[in-house]
Amino acid sequence: MKPALKSAALSVALICSCVAGAGTASSDPGKMQWAPSRTYHVENYKLTLHFSQARGEVFGDELVTIRPFAAGFDRFCINSAELTIDSVTMAGTAGMAAALAHTTDDHCLWIGLKRTYGPSDSLNIRIVYHGHPRIGLFFVNPGRNDRDAPREIYTQGEPEFNHYWFPCWDYPNDMSRSETITTVPEGQVVVSNGKLVSVKRAAGRVTYDWVESVPHSSYLLSLAIGPWKKTSDSYEGKPVDYYVPRGVNDAEVKRLFHLTPDMIGFFSRATGVEYPFEKYAQVTVRDFIFGGQENVSATTLTDAALHDAQAEIDDPTTTLVAHELGQHWFGDYAQGRDWANIWLNEGFATYMTALYTQYHVSNDAYRYEIYNDQNTALGVDALRGHRPLVAHEYVDPLDMLEEITHDKGAAVLDMMRYVLDGDAAMQSPASQNETLFQALHYYLTTHEARTADSTELLRSIWTSTGNELGWFFHEWVFEGGHPDYRVSATYDPRRKTEVVRVAQTQKVDANTPVFDMPIDLAFFGDGNQRLETRIRDDGATRVFDIPLPFVPAWVDFDPDDILYKSVVFDKTDGELIKEAQHDPHMMSRLWAAQRLGDRLKENQGCCVRALQRVLDHDSFYAVRIQAAISLGAGRSGQAKQALLNAMSQADSRVRAAAVSAMSNFLGDRALIDTLIRTLHEDPSYAVQAAAAEELGRSGDDAAFNAIRSESESKLQEIVAVGILDALAESGKPQAAGILLRYAQPGTPERVREHALSDLPKLKDELQRFDAPALAGTVGDALDDPYLPVHEVADHLVDVFKLAQFTAVIERDADQAVIVDDRNDARRILRDLRRP
């Protein structure tokens, strides 16, 4: 799973459903959550399905095949929630079926058997049911405010949502085969897991029969139904298909998804495991609450991935496609056994995405992607109490599907590659020549269609390569936090030795250790001298004497930024300038450009000139971006001119960074005029959005008029979000009405969601502007079936104290499917009732 793209809503919370043996979710964040014990194994799910699209109703006839683990098996639970069970029978010989007693209890359908069974028995239980799922199965219908909406039905099973639309063992610690036989009106297309074995048409209806023969966890069983067109590729004879709205032409589909077969080939070669499923399909659906979901052999993607060529430059679809595809090895094929170990799915998927970047783009692009993963995770590390990658303390399972799991997981795997193979091996695309990928091949083949935990990954590395990484897993997987390094380096000319002092200043406690890691050091002289070496830092404070035959002009600590860390390394302006301009390690140049930005208040001229040269000439776009950001910390005319000059660079990412760095210069009339022209004329949506946001912050009347004029146009989504943020930042009373207009039903949901989330920034203006219109807007959002919009609406009831919606909040507090939604609603109720 990949989180929603650029979502403005509060994070979609996750449910922790009651599963057999696990009990109900606890609101106590200190409660340990463990995988439920099983009394049986599901061998196969066979679902025969049809729907009432208009009523949002599913009708299912399910045959589930189970095998008991022990003798004396006479009663069992299969997870089911909010479904009406019409009948439960045991399929017998000669077509005979025996009715079985059954009861429902919270999230369990308890089924009693007429006698006892044991491990040699394979039981076929037929369950006929119907229901109106509130989650897990989503219906998209045309409405009075969106008459052009397609008729779609799709599933989202992770983490434990599928038992809201079919009875199943809804936890990842069991893997089974599946079949879906789905009947829909003619004109609708059904995409599901596995191989399409038949399509039958009769009386204006069509039935699709999909069979998945590779065992998989129940949350990966999926359906996607809609009026799509199919564009086809292939990989080694296997179908690779893309399902999109009929209005999307084939050339656009190929532009967005054409790298998929290449990704399959790269991942197959890197892991040594050929793509294991019958086909690979990607389906884009309307109003998907996440970015993508790696349903086995049939990934579901948000239709936000369907953007034009210009948006593809700013925000390529490649990362989303690679992330979901990567999980078909790590997650779909070898499954993390429980939510505590889900980094074995999501961390690997994020890392596989970075590996494809290294293969397809460059090593610098790979290192920058890992750097962004590190920064994303570090930003939430303290908020999560420095939680380990493997963490059994959580309230609901999607608490585990966040930045530590995804982004720190990728950073840890990158460090593991460094420890096993060294930085030299990491300069080239992943291959089976590397120790790490030999170990991962063993892990995947040993756990083919099976579940695993982190200890089994560690055991796989030892068994296949002989490397003992218990120390590494102890500090990076089973404990939390990160090292905070304070580094100094001094040259002793008498001994021709560089003395490097390394201290770890993080708070060491039961959760965060003193870290033991190899670390690269690099020394550079003015005469092109260069020496690189590796130390092993394993103490709170260590001093390293490095023999060095030249006086270093600058020193690098972890020059490729491999360690997940923070670092303070004081250097002179001259050292930083040389490093920023001449260091062969891209990440060291980027780090030096950051530090020069910190120095601008002390030494404007020297540092600005150096940053300007970096912005104009560095070979890698991300270093130029950092130079622009650092120049934004200055206030000199030279810094401003450097940013304006950057507006002629070809790379839109650098132009967008330069625009966003102009905040300190917004009092300049010429700069405001430049930003207005940029808003109207730059071809990049990201640059237009950045220009709008800076104009909104300026407080300038002409700037506001330009933003307001642009808001009257039909805007691309990225630009619309920038315009909305600009209006909210402006603080102008006139902005209130425009935000309310964008917040109405009929606006594309992701843009509407953003408009709603911006309303609190104009709280006073809105209450003065039109309180009834505000209340009507919030009321419409509360009724919206799109979960992110409803979540924002709940928040707005609290912000604006709209007591007239107390009954709706009471309903959410009592009945919301998602645990965090219930808790938020209860908090809002307390606020509304407070005198």
Side-chain angles (χ1 to χ4, degrees):
M1 175 190 294
K2 192 169 179 67
L5 303 178
K6 295 182 174 62
S7 175
L10 307 172
S11 298
V12 176
L14 301 184
I15 185 170
C16 181
S17 57
C18 171
V19 293
T24 57
S26 170
S27 60
D28 178 6
K31 180 177 174 59
M32 302 289 281
Q33 305 276 1
W34 302 96
S37 296
R38 295 182 292 137
T39 59
Y40 61 92
H41 161 58
V42 179
E43 295 181 329
N44 190 67
Y45 296 103
K46 181 177 181 180
L47 303 176
T48 302
L49 302 157
H50 66 280
F51 307 91
S52 170
Q53 174 90 34
R55 296 198 306 269
E57 189 169 12
V58 57
F59 299 88
D61 189 337
E62 174 179 4
L63 188 67
V64 57
T65 303
I66 67 173
R67 187 176 294 275
F69 285 137
F73 185 80
D74 62 357
R75 184 173 183 261
F76 69 97
C77 162
I78 190 166
N79 301 127
S80 176
E82 303 182 9
L83 293 171
T84 299
I85 307 300
D86 299 311
S87 65
V88 179
T89 55
M90 171 82 81
T93 58
M96 299 297 290
L100 298 177
H102 59 277
T103 59
T104 55
D105 177 11
D106 199 3
H107 290 260
C108 278
L109 168 61
W110 286 99
I111 298 173
L113 307 176
K114 293 184 177 296
R115 65 177 181 86
T116 60
Y117 295 88
S120 62
D121 297 308
S122 182
L123 312 181
N124 292 307
I125 310 296
R126 182 185 179 192
I127 306 169
V128 180
Y129 65 92
H130 66 280
H132 298 82
R134 291 191 290 154
I135 203 163
L137 185 71
F138 297 87
F139 293 81
V140 177
N141 285 298
R144 62 183 177 85
N145 297 303
D146 190 6
R147 298 186 184 280
D148 295 329
R151 297 186 186 277
E152 294 180 357
I153 304 170
Y154 55 82
T155 62
Q156 169 53 43
E158 192 176 17
E160 298 167 13
F161 295 156
N162 267 351
H163 72 284
Y164 283 83
W165 69 273
F166 77 97
C168 59
W169 178 268
D170 207 357
Y171 200 85
N173 64 345
D174 192 23
M175 300 178 77
S176 60
R177 299 181 302 275
S178 64
E179 179 177 6
T180 58
I181 304 169
T182 308
T183 300
V184 295
E186 187 71 64
Q188 295 287 90
V189 176
V190 180
V191 184
S192 189
N193 317 101
K195 181 180 180 180
L196 183 60
V197 296
S198 71
V199 179
K200 298 177 180 178
R201 290 178 166 81
R205 299 182 70 78
V206 56
T207 299
Y208 289 78
D209 187 349
W210 290 91
V211 175
E212 179 54 76
S213 60
V214 181
H216 55 89
S217 292
S218 61
Y219 74 84
L220 296 168
L221 191 153
S222 70
L223 288 172
I225 301 166
W228 295 304
K229 60 177 285 185
K230 180 175 79 170
T231 302
S232 295
D233 264 339
S234 67
Y235 169 77
E236 299 293 329
K238 291 185 177 183
V240 178
D241 298 322
Y242 320 119
Y243 294 85
V244 300
R246 290 173 181 159
V248 181
N249 63 54
D250 288 347
E252 184 174 349
V253 174
K254 287 294 182 77
R255 176 176 53 75
L256 293 167
F257 298 116
H258 74 282
L259 290 174
T260 304
D262 187 57
M263 291 178 191
I264 297 174
F266 171 69
F267 292 158
S268 296
R269 293 190 299 274
T271 61
V273 175
E274 278 294 324
Y275 178 74
F277 302 102
E278 299 88 343
K279 61 103 174 30
Y280 188 58
Q282 294 172 92
V283 189
T284 59
V285 303
R286 185 78 165 258
D287 298 338
F288 196 49
I289 60 176
F290 300 114
Q293 175 62 43
E294 67 282 2
N295 302 309
V296 60
S297 80
T299 286
T300 304
L301 300 173
T302 170
D303 62 356
L306 299 174
H307 47 222
D308 62 26
Q310 181 56 56
E312 183 71 7
I313 294 171
D314 295 329
D315 186 20
T317 309
T318 309
T319 55
L320 175 61
V321 173
H323 182 97
E324 306 307 336
L325 176 61
Q327 286 191 268
H328 279 71
W329 283 262
F330 297 96
D332 293 14
Y333 186 66
Q335 169 71 54
R337 183 168 299 132
D338 57 20
W339 303 119
N341 283 275
I342 203 63
W343 82 280
L344 294 173
N345 298 16
E346 300 295 348
F348 269 96
T350 306
Y351 186 53
M352 296 284 275
T353 304
L355 290 174
Y356 185 74
T357 297
Q358 183 182 38
Y359 161 77
H360 181 66
V361 184
S362 69
N363 190 64
D364 280 350
Y366 165 67
R367 291 262 41 102
Y368 186 57
E369 193 162 327
I370 294 293
Y371 164 77
N372 284 325
D373 291 334
Q374 293 171 350
N375 278 351
T376 299
L378 287 167
V380 300
D381 205 356
L383 298 176
R384 297 284 299 192
H386 298 303
R387 81 157 176 87
L389 278 180
V390 176
H392 290 275
E393 296 182 17
Y394 57 87
V395 175
D396 56 61
L398 227 70
D399 287 347
M400 295 298 295
L401 291 168
E402 39 73 279
E403 294 86 351
I404 301 299
T405 295
H406 285 78
D407 301 283
K408 183 179 177 181
V412 166
L413 289 165
D414 180 62
M415 289 189 291
M416 193 185 301
R417 185 184 183 192
Y418 167 71
V419 167
L420 289 173
D421 293 289
D423 60 329
M426 296 174 68
Q427 304 297 315
S428 301
S431 76
Q432 281 290 292
N433 294 325
E434 292 184 43
T435 305
L436 174 64
F437 295 98
Q438 293 170 17
L440 294 182
H441 171 79
Y442 182 87
Y443 168 77
L444 287 170
T445 54
T446 303
H447 296 90
E448 173 187 350
R450 292 175 52 202
T451 65
D453 62 18
S454 298
T455 301
E456 286 163 312
L457 173 62
L458 173 61
R459 186 180 299 115
S460 291
I461 295 169
W462 174 77
T463 302
S464 61
T465 72
N467 282 275
E468 294 278 7
L469 288 191
W471 61 272
F472 182 93
F473 273 66
H474 170 72
E475 63 189 33
W476 290 115
V477 177
F478 299 120
E479 291 201 323
H482 57 270
D484 295 319
Y485 293 111
R486 180 171 286 277
V487 182
S488 64
T490 306
Y491 188 69
D492 183 343
R494 183 180 59 83
R495 296 190 297 143
K496 293 187 177 181
T497 298
E498 186 78 7
V499 181
V500 180
R501 187 177 188 274
V502 181
Q504 294 189 38
T505 62
Q506 71 273 10
K507 181 182 178 182
V508 176
D509 54 26
N511 191 45
T512 302
V514 172
F515 288 82
D516 174 8
M517 281 295 288
I519 305 172
D520 285 345
L521 302 176
F523 307 90
F524 301 91
D526 283 327
N528 293 322
Q529 302 101 324
R530 175 176 177 176
L531 185 145
E532 301 199 13
T533 190
R534 179 169 300 173
I535 60 173
R536 182 81 181 219
D537 180 62
D538 60 359
T541 302
R542 291 289 308 274
V543 178
F544 302 91
D545 289 348
I546 312 297
L548 193 63
F550 58 89
V551 179
W554 76 92
V555 177
D556 288 351
F557 177 84
D558 188 21
D560 290 313
D561 190 44
I562 290 166
L563 272 65
Y564 179 74
K565 67 184 186 304
S566 73
V567 61
V568 175
F569 189 176
D570 292 331
K571 299 183 184 182
T572 67
D573 290 349
E575 289 171 327
L576 288 173
I577 288 169
K578 291 174 182 177
E579 184 175 351
Q581 294 179 348
H582 303 298
D583 200 300
H585 301 274
M586 180 276 295
M587 285 306 307
S588 291
R589 300 198 306 274
L590 189 149
W591 182 87
Q594 286 178 330
R595 301 288 79 77
L596 286 171
D598 298 336
R599 300 290 180 84
L600 283 189
K601 292 180 181 178
E602 302 169 9
N603 193 341
Q604 287 279 338
C606 178
C607 295
V608 166
R609 286 191 296 273
L611 287 167
Q612 184 175 10
R613 286 192 291 271
V614 172
L615 178 56
D616 289 343
H617 300 298
D618 196 275
S619 60
F620 190 62
Y621 79 95
V623 181
R624 303 200 303 276
I625 284 175
Q626 184 57 57
I629 294 169
S630 291
L631 283 165
R635 294 182 180 273
S636 70
Q638 187 178 4
K640 178 184 70 176
Q641 191 57 50
L643 292 173
L644 287 171
N645 291 345
M647 296 306 297
S648 63
Q649 291 206 22
D651 196 308
S652 62
R653 295 166 294 187
V654 179
R655 299 200 306 277
V659 169
S660 296
M662 293 178 180
S663 294
N664 279 341
F665 309 104
L666 291 176
D668 185 288
R669 179 75 259 158
L671 186 140
I672 293 290
D673 291 342
T674 297
L675 289 177
I676 291 173
R677 287 196 302 274
T678 300
L679 174 63
H680 294 318
E681 299 174 7
D682 196 287
S684 165
Y685 303 134
V687 177
Q688 292 174 41
E693 291 182 34
E694 293 307 313
L695 289 169
R697 294 187 183 101
S698 71
D700 183 86
D701 288 340
F704 179 78
N705 289 335
I707 298 165
R708 179 169 57 184
S709 173
E710 201 72 16
S711 74
E712 302 298 326
S713 306
K714 185 176 182 180
L715 298 173
Q716 193 273 346
E717 185 174 306
I718 296 172
V719 181
V721 167
I723 291 288
L724 293 170
D725 285 345
L727 291 165
E729 290 288 342
S730 74
K732 302 273 187 186
Q734 307 96 303
I738 304 173
L739 281 178
L740 277 179
R741 174 164 55 85
Y742 272 92
Q744 300 306 310
T747 303
E749 290 285 33
R750 288 181 294 272
V751 175
R752 181 186 178 205
E753 172 196 348
H754 208 93
L756 288 161
S757 68
D758 273 333
L759 291 177
K761 298 176 184 177
L762 293 172
K763 180 178 179 180
D764 293 340
E765 289 78 5
L766 281 163
Q767 289 174 325
R768 287 194 300 267
F769 173 75
D770 193 339
L774 171 66
T777 299
V778 173
D780 285 337
L782 286 169
D783 289 338
D784 199 283
Y786 183 52
L787 287 176
V789 165
H790 184 90
E791 287 181 324
V792 176
D794 278 353
H795 176 62
L796 293 175
V797 170
D798 191 22
V799 169
F800 291 98
K801 305 305 176 194
L802 300 174
Q804 62 267 47
F805 298 115
T806 298
V808 178
I809 303 300
E810 287 175 338
R811 180 196 65 197
D812 287 350
D814 183 54
Q815 300 177 15
V817 173
I818 296 173
V819 172
D820 281 0
D821 281 355
R822 292 202 300 273
N823 291 338
D824 285 346
R826 289 164 186 167
R827 177 188 54 77
I828 292 167
L829 277 179
R830 290 194 297 271
D831 289 346
L832 290 175
R833 291 165 178 169
R834 187 175 293 126

